[in-house]
mmCIF file of all heavy atoms in Angstrom:
data_model
loop_
_atom_site.group_PDB
_atom_site.id
_atom_site.type_symbol
_atom_site.label_atom_id
_atom_site.label_comp_id
_atom_site.label_asym_id
_atom_site.label_seq_id
_atom_site.Cartn_x
_atom_site.Cartn_y
_atom_site.Cartn_z
ATOM 1 N N TYR A 117 41.296 30.960 -0.542
ATOM 2 C CA TYR A 117 42.548 30.130 -0.784
ATOM 3 C C TYR A 117 43.711 30.676 -0.042
ATOM 4 O O TYR A 117 44.884 30.218 -0.275
ATOM 5 C CB TYR A 117 42.848 30.245 -2.275
ATOM 6 C CG TYR A 117 41.689 29.747 -3.168
ATOM 7 C CD1 TYR A 117 40.820 30.526 -3.808
ATOM 8 C CD2 TYR A 117 41.504 28.345 -3.141
ATOM 9 C CE1 TYR A 117 39.804 30.048 -4.485
ATOM 10 C CE2 TYR A 117 40.487 27.791 -3.910
ATOM 11 C CZ TYR A 117 39.512 28.549 -4.544
ATOM 12 O OH TYR A 117 38.509 28.085 -5.222
ATOM 13 N N ARG B 20 41.003 25.766 5.563
ATOM 14 C CA ARG B 20 41.082 25.970 4.208
ATOM 15 C C ARG B 20 40.316 24.974 3.355
ATOM 16 O O ARG B 20 39.515 25.146 2.504
ATOM 17 C CB ARG B 20 42.539 25.952 3.728
ATOM 18 C CG ARG B 20 42.792 26.424 2.396
ATOM 19 C CD ARG B 20 44.314 26.666 2.204
ATOM 20 N NE ARG B 20 44.729 27.293 1.015
ATOM 21 C CZ ARG B 20 44.859 26.656 -0.096
ATOM 22 N NH1 ARG B 20 44.844 25.348 -0.105
ATOM 23 N NH2 ARG B 20 45.157 27.324 -1.222
ATOM 24 N N VAL B 21 40.553 23.671 3.738
ATOM 25 C CA VAL B 21 39.912 22.540 2.983
ATOM 26 C C VAL B 21 38.416 22.639 3.138
ATOM 27 O O VAL B 21 37.645 22.357 2.174
ATOM 28 C CB VAL B 21 40.435 21.191 3.468
ATOM 29 C CG1 VAL B 21 40.100 20.971 4.924
ATOM 30 C CG2 VAL B 21 39.966 20.041 2.648
ATOM 31 N N LEU B 22 37.908 23.079 4.237
ATOM 32 C CA LEU B 22 36.413 23.147 4.443
ATOM 33 C C LEU B 22 35.856 24.296 3.567
ATOM 34 O O LEU B 22 34.836 24.312 3.035
ATOM 35 C CB LEU B 22 36.058 23.420 5.862
ATOM 36 C CG LEU B 22 36.304 22.223 6.809
ATOM 37 C CD1 LEU B 22 35.829 22.563 8.188
ATOM 38 C CD2 LEU B 22 35.520 21.029 6.254
ATOM 39 N N ARG B 23 36.738 25.361 3.490
ATOM 40 C CA ARG B 23 36.166 26.493 2.647
ATOM 41 C C ARG B 23 36.156 26.102 1.162
ATOM 42 O O ARG B 23 35.178 26.459 0.412
ATOM 43 C CB ARG B 23 37.167 27.671 2.806
ATOM 44 C CG ARG B 23 37.276 28.373 4.091
ATOM 45 C CD ARG B 23 37.866 29.699 4.088
ATOM 46 N NE ARG B 23 39.288 29.710 3.646
ATOM 47 C CZ ARG B 23 40.324 29.599 4.463
ATOM 48 N NH1 ARG B 23 40.157 29.327 5.770
ATOM 49 N NH2 ARG B 23 41.542 29.688 4.038
ATOM 50 N N ILE B 24 37.105 25.322 0.807
ATOM 51 C CA ILE B 24 37.116 24.847 -0.591
ATOM 52 C C ILE B 24 35.991 23.868 -0.798
ATOM 53 O O ILE B 24 35.268 23.866 -1.956
ATOM 54 C CB ILE B 24 38.478 24.268 -0.961
ATOM 55 C CG1 ILE B 24 39.512 25.415 -1.057
ATOM 56 C CG2 ILE B 24 38.426 23.487 -2.230
ATOM 57 C CD1 ILE B 24 40.860 24.994 -0.792
ATOM 58 N N ALA B 25 35.693 23.010 0.118
ATOM 59 C CA ALA B 25 34.522 22.043 -0.030
ATOM 60 C C ALA B 25 33.186 22.855 -0.101
ATOM 61 O O ALA B 25 32.311 22.555 -0.919
ATOM 62 C CB ALA B 25 34.544 21.183 1.128
ATOM 63 N N GLY B 26 33.172 24.028 0.620
ATOM 64 C CA GLY B 26 32.067 24.837 0.611
ATOM 65 C C GLY B 26 31.786 25.436 -0.740
ATOM 66 O O GLY B 26 30.716 25.617 -1.266
ATOM 67 N N GLU B 27 32.921 25.794 -1.412
ATOM 68 C CA GLU B 27 32.779 26.335 -2.799
ATOM 69 C C GLU B 27 32.119 25.377 -3.707
ATOM 70 O O GLU B 27 31.306 25.604 -4.563
ATOM 71 C CB GLU B 27 34.204 26.624 -3.431
ATOM 72 C CG GLU B 27 34.811 27.850 -2.735
ATOM 73 C CD GLU B 27 34.096 29.093 -2.875
ATOM 74 O OE1 GLU B 27 33.927 29.636 -4.030
ATOM 75 O OE2 GLU B 27 33.525 29.605 -1.929
ATOM 76 N N GLY B 28 32.478 23.983 -3.523
ATOM 77 C CA GLY B 28 31.870 22.931 -4.315
ATOM 78 C C GLY B 28 30.423 22.826 -4.093
ATOM 79 O O GLY B 28 29.647 22.624 -4.977
ATOM 80 N N MET B 29 30.056 23.017 -2.767
ATOM 81 C CA MET B 29 28.665 22.783 -2.480
ATOM 82 C C MET B 29 27.710 24.047 -2.872
ATOM 83 O O MET B 29 26.605 23.941 -3.314
ATOM 84 C CB MET B 29 28.493 22.532 -0.998
ATOM 85 C CG MET B 29 28.965 21.180 -0.627
ATOM 86 S SD MET B 29 28.624 20.710 1.036
ATOM 87 C CE MET B 29 30.206 20.600 1.732
ATOM 88 N N THR B 340 45.240 26.323 -5.870
ATOM 89 C CA THR B 340 46.244 25.318 -6.437
ATOM 90 C C THR B 340 45.444 24.302 -7.330
ATOM 91 O O THR B 340 44.213 24.228 -7.241
ATOM 92 C CB THR B 340 46.987 24.659 -5.379
ATOM 93 O OG1 THR B 340 46.116 23.869 -4.582
ATOM 94 C CG2 THR B 340 47.599 25.598 -4.451
ATOM 95 N N ARG B 341 46.167 23.537 -8.093
ATOM 96 C CA ARG B 341 45.647 22.391 -8.804
ATOM 97 C C ARG B 341 44.786 21.514 -7.835
ATOM 98 O O ARG B 341 43.597 21.139 -8.161
ATOM 99 C CB ARG B 341 46.660 21.580 -9.435
ATOM 100 C CG ARG B 341 47.272 22.159 -10.624
ATOM 101 C CD ARG B 341 48.319 21.206 -11.206
ATOM 102 N NE ARG B 341 49.305 21.884 -12.041
ATOM 103 C CZ ARG B 341 49.074 22.244 -13.362
ATOM 104 N NH1 ARG B 341 47.879 21.740 -13.863
ATOM 105 N NH2 ARG B 341 49.941 22.828 -14.054
ATOM 106 N N GLY B 342 45.367 21.274 -6.634
ATOM 107 C CA GLY B 342 44.730 20.464 -5.689
ATOM 108 C C GLY B 342 43.406 21.087 -5.205
ATOM 109 O O GLY B 342 42.490 20.385 -4.971
ATOM 110 N N ASP B 343 43.452 22.350 -5.049
ATOM 111 C CA ASP B 343 42.213 23.033 -4.518
ATOM 112 C C ASP B 343 41.044 22.877 -5.598
ATOM 113 O O ASP B 343 39.855 22.562 -5.196
ATOM 114 C CB ASP B 343 42.406 24.528 -4.431
ATOM 115 C CG ASP B 343 43.390 24.765 -3.246
ATOM 116 O OD1 ASP B 343 43.595 23.908 -2.395
ATOM 117 O OD2 ASP B 343 44.055 25.899 -3.271
ATOM 118 N N ILE B 344 41.456 23.062 -6.868
ATOM 119 C CA ILE B 344 40.392 22.853 -7.937
ATOM 120 C C ILE B 344 39.935 21.420 -7.988
ATOM 121 O O ILE B 344 38.657 21.221 -8.069
ATOM 122 C CB ILE B 344 41.024 23.286 -9.271
ATOM 123 C CG1 ILE B 344 41.496 24.760 -9.279
ATOM 124 C CG2 ILE B 344 39.955 23.036 -10.456
ATOM 125 C CD1 ILE B 344 40.325 25.725 -9.129
ATOM 126 N N PHE B 345 40.825 20.541 -7.843
ATOM 127 C CA PHE B 345 40.455 19.085 -7.818
ATOM 128 C C PHE B 345 39.522 18.873 -6.720
ATOM 129 O O PHE B 345 38.493 18.200 -6.830
ATOM 130 C CB PHE B 345 41.735 18.239 -7.705
ATOM 131 C CG PHE B 345 41.450 16.757 -7.661
ATOM 132 C CD1 PHE B 345 41.497 16.161 -8.902
ATOM 133 C CD2 PHE B 345 41.423 16.015 -6.550
ATOM 134 C CE1 PHE B 345 41.237 14.721 -8.987
ATOM 135 C CE2 PHE B 345 41.140 14.662 -6.535
ATOM 136 C CZ PHE B 345 41.131 14.050 -7.800
ATOM 137 N N ALA B 346 39.869 19.327 -5.553
ATOM 138 C CA ALA B 346 39.095 19.175 -4.320
ATOM 139 C C ALA B 346 37.645 19.734 -4.480
ATOM 140 O O ALA B 346 36.751 19.149 -4.055
ATOM 141 C CB ALA B 346 39.757 19.744 -3.090
ATOM 142 N N GLN B 347 37.665 20.949 -5.056
ATOM 143 C CA GLN B 347 36.397 21.484 -5.261
ATOM 144 C C GLN B 347 35.327 20.583 -6.088
ATOM 145 O O GLN B 347 34.245 20.397 -5.817
ATOM 146 C CB GLN B 347 36.415 22.847 -5.939
ATOM 147 C CG GLN B 347 35.107 23.550 -6.176
ATOM 148 C CD GLN B 347 35.241 24.863 -6.880
ATOM 149 O OE1 GLN B 347 36.278 25.487 -6.875
ATOM 150 N NE2 GLN B 347 34.164 25.270 -7.683
ATOM 151 N N PHE B 348 35.891 20.157 -7.214
ATOM 152 C CA PHE B 348 34.989 19.384 -8.105
ATOM 153 C C PHE B 348 34.771 17.997 -7.562
ATOM 154 O O PHE B 348 33.734 17.362 -7.676
ATOM 155 C CB PHE B 348 35.656 19.316 -9.514
ATOM 156 C CG PHE B 348 35.358 20.499 -10.348
ATOM 157 C CD1 PHE B 348 36.186 21.626 -10.252
ATOM 158 C CD2 PHE B 348 34.171 20.558 -11.100
ATOM 159 C CE1 PHE B 348 35.805 22.766 -10.966
ATOM 160 C CE2 PHE B 348 33.866 21.737 -11.747
ATOM 161 C CZ PHE B 348 34.703 22.832 -11.691
ATOM 162 N N LEU B 349 35.762 17.356 -6.861
ATOM 163 C CA LEU B 349 35.442 16.103 -6.188
ATOM 164 C C LEU B 349 34.355 16.315 -5.075
ATOM 165 O O LEU B 349 33.539 15.500 -4.906
ATOM 166 C CB LEU B 349 36.718 15.482 -5.678
ATOM 167 C CG LEU B 349 36.599 14.051 -5.325
ATOM 168 C CD1 LEU B 349 36.420 13.205 -6.689
ATOM 169 C CD2 LEU B 349 37.857 13.526 -4.701
ATOM 170 N N THR B 350 34.491 17.374 -4.366
ATOM 171 C CA THR B 350 33.526 17.664 -3.382
ATOM 172 C C THR B 350 32.058 17.724 -3.910
ATOM 173 O O THR B 350 31.153 17.261 -3.414
ATOM 174 C CB THR B 350 33.764 19.062 -2.615
ATOM 175 O OG1 THR B 350 35.029 18.919 -2.094
ATOM 176 C CG2 THR B 350 32.690 19.282 -1.597
ATOM 177 N N GLU B 351 32.060 18.365 -5.155
ATOM 178 C CA GLU B 351 30.718 18.462 -5.810
ATOM 179 C C GLU B 351 30.193 17.134 -6.123
ATOM 180 O O GLU B 351 29.041 16.787 -5.807
ATOM 181 C CB GLU B 351 30.897 19.311 -7.087
ATOM 182 C CG GLU B 351 29.980 20.441 -7.228
ATOM 183 C CD GLU B 351 30.244 21.204 -8.496
ATOM 184 O OE1 GLU B 351 29.642 20.882 -9.451
ATOM 185 O OE2 GLU B 351 30.999 22.153 -8.439
ATOM 186 N N SER B 352 31.035 16.291 -6.725
ATOM 187 C CA SER B 352 30.628 14.875 -6.998
ATOM 188 C C SER B 352 30.308 14.138 -5.739
ATOM 189 O O SER B 352 29.174 13.522 -5.669
ATOM 190 C CB SER B 352 31.811 14.126 -7.766
ATOM 191 O OG SER B 352 31.545 12.797 -7.832
ATOM 192 N N LEU B 353 31.093 14.191 -4.768
ATOM 193 C CA LEU B 353 30.851 13.444 -3.507
ATOM 194 C C LEU B 353 29.655 13.947 -2.744
ATOM 195 O O LEU B 353 28.792 13.192 -2.208
ATOM 196 C CB LEU B 353 32.064 13.514 -2.584
ATOM 197 C CG LEU B 353 33.212 12.574 -3.047
ATOM 198 C CD1 LEU B 353 34.399 12.817 -2.129
ATOM 199 C CD2 LEU B 353 32.816 11.148 -2.917
ATOM 200 N N SER B 354 29.367 15.291 -2.789
ATOM 201 C CA SER B 354 28.205 15.829 -2.086
ATOM 202 C C SER B 354 26.982 15.255 -2.786
ATOM 203 O O SER B 354 25.901 14.919 -2.207
ATOM 204 C CB SER B 354 28.123 17.365 -2.161
ATOM 205 O OG SER B 354 29.354 17.762 -1.671
ATOM 206 N N GLY B 404 33.808 11.052 -10.178
ATOM 207 C CA GLY B 404 34.068 12.470 -9.937
ATOM 208 C C GLY B 404 35.591 12.746 -10.238
ATOM 209 O O GLY B 404 35.907 13.878 -10.538
ATOM 210 N N VAL B 405 36.430 11.699 -10.218
ATOM 211 C CA VAL B 405 37.818 11.977 -10.352
ATOM 212 C C VAL B 405 38.194 12.554 -11.696
ATOM 213 O O VAL B 405 38.912 13.558 -11.789
ATOM 214 C CB VAL B 405 38.570 10.646 -10.002
ATOM 215 C CG1 VAL B 405 40.029 10.751 -10.712
ATOM 216 C CG2 VAL B 405 38.700 10.447 -8.551
ATOM 217 N N ALA B 408 37.227 16.144 -12.086
ATOM 218 C CA ALA B 408 38.008 17.017 -11.266
ATOM 219 C C ALA B 408 39.425 17.134 -11.767
ATOM 220 O O ALA B 408 40.012 18.193 -11.646
ATOM 221 C CB ALA B 408 37.960 16.365 -9.780
ATOM 222 N N ARG B 409 39.922 16.054 -12.260
ATOM 223 C CA ARG B 409 41.304 16.077 -12.721
ATOM 224 C C ARG B 409 41.310 17.031 -13.965
ATOM 225 O O ARG B 409 42.301 17.766 -14.171
ATOM 226 C CB ARG B 409 41.736 14.693 -13.066
ATOM 227 C CG ARG B 409 43.248 14.482 -13.316
ATOM 228 C CD ARG B 409 43.552 13.124 -13.716
ATOM 229 N NE ARG B 409 43.440 12.205 -12.657
ATOM 230 C CZ ARG B 409 43.407 10.871 -12.822
ATOM 231 N NH1 ARG B 409 43.404 10.328 -14.067
ATOM 232 N NH2 ARG B 409 43.233 10.128 -11.845
ATOM 233 N N ALA B 411 39.527 19.478 -14.644
ATOM 234 C CA ALA B 411 39.523 20.914 -14.110
ATOM 235 C C ALA B 411 40.860 21.334 -13.491
ATOM 236 O O ALA B 411 41.201 22.479 -13.841
ATOM 237 C CB ALA B 411 38.355 21.025 -13.112
ATOM 238 N N ALA B 412 41.420 20.482 -12.872
ATOM 239 C CA ALA B 412 42.674 20.795 -12.204
ATOM 240 C C ALA B 412 43.815 21.001 -13.151
ATOM 241 O O ALA B 412 44.836 21.679 -12.874
ATOM 242 C CB ALA B 412 43.061 19.787 -11.140
#
Side-chain angles (χ1 to χ4, degrees):
Chain A
Y117 300 104
Chain B
R20 192 165 188 273
V21 65
L22 290 183
R23 294 199 297 273
I24 287 156
E27 292 298 294
M29 288 189 248
T340 62
R341 288 177 198 277
D343 294 338
I344 299 295
F345 184 85
Q347 179 184 335
F348 279 86
L349 197 65
T350 301
E351 235 177 89
S352 169
L353 283 172
S354 306
V405 159
R409 195 183 288 164

